[in-house]
Amino acid sequence: MPYSSSLTDEEWEILEPLLPTILPPKKQTRPSNWTKRELLDGIFYQLKNGCNWEDLPKDLPPYSTVYWHYKQWRASGAIDKLMSIL
């Protein structure tokens, strides 16, 4: 279910090809159960609504996963780059 903070298809078409160059390389771990789009939707939901991470809707990835990625991507400057592109 899309939220007002969710990426539109048009926004995703712009961001998706840029993600490999913007997002920091991930250490070799098991494959993610969540797409980058789902993770970004979780991050944008929290940023727009200002809710606690634990209060993310249950149809988004688990808050701990979303928050972990947010911390990594924020520290690398990726969140700022993505927001400026959007």
Side-chain angles (χ1 to χ4, degrees), residues 10 26 31 45 69 71 78:
E10 293 80 21
K26 188 174 181 232
Y45 182 92
H69 282 86
K71 286 192 314 181

Side-chain angles (χ1 to χ4, degrees), residues 40-84:
L40 286 169
D41 282 345
I43 291 169
F44 293 151
Y45 182 92
Q46 194 282 334
L47 293 176
K48 179 179 182 193
N49 295 294
C51 65
N52 292 325
W53 288 101
E54 296 88 355
D55 294 334
L56 287 178
K58 300 302 178 207
D59 60 335
L60 292 171
Y63 78 87
S64 57
T65 302
V66 175
Y67 181 63
W68 186 88
H69 282 86
Y70 171 74
K71 286 192 314 181
Q72 302 300 312
W73 296 348
R74 184 190 65 198
S76 73
I79 295 293
D80 290 334
K81 290 176 191 170
L82 293 171
M83 296 303 284
S84 67

Side-chain angles (χ1 to χ4, degrees), residues 6-54:
S6 296
L7 290 167
T8 64
D9 289 339
E10 293 80 21
E11 290 169 334
W12 181 243
E13 287 177 17
I14 293 168
L15 289 184
E16 185 180 26
L18 302 174
L19 291 180
T21 59
I22 294 175
L23 297 180
K26 188 174 181 232
K27 292 180 182 172
Q28 200 63 339
T29 60
R30 65 180 172 83
S32 178
N33 295 332
W34 306 98
T35 66
K36 287 183 175 52
R37 185 175 185 170
E38 291 169 319
L39 294 168
L40 286 169
D41 282 345
I43 291 169
F44 293 151
Y45 182 92
Q46 194 282 334
L47 293 176
K48 179 179 182 193
N49 295 294
C51 65
N52 292 325
W53 288 101
E54 296 88 355

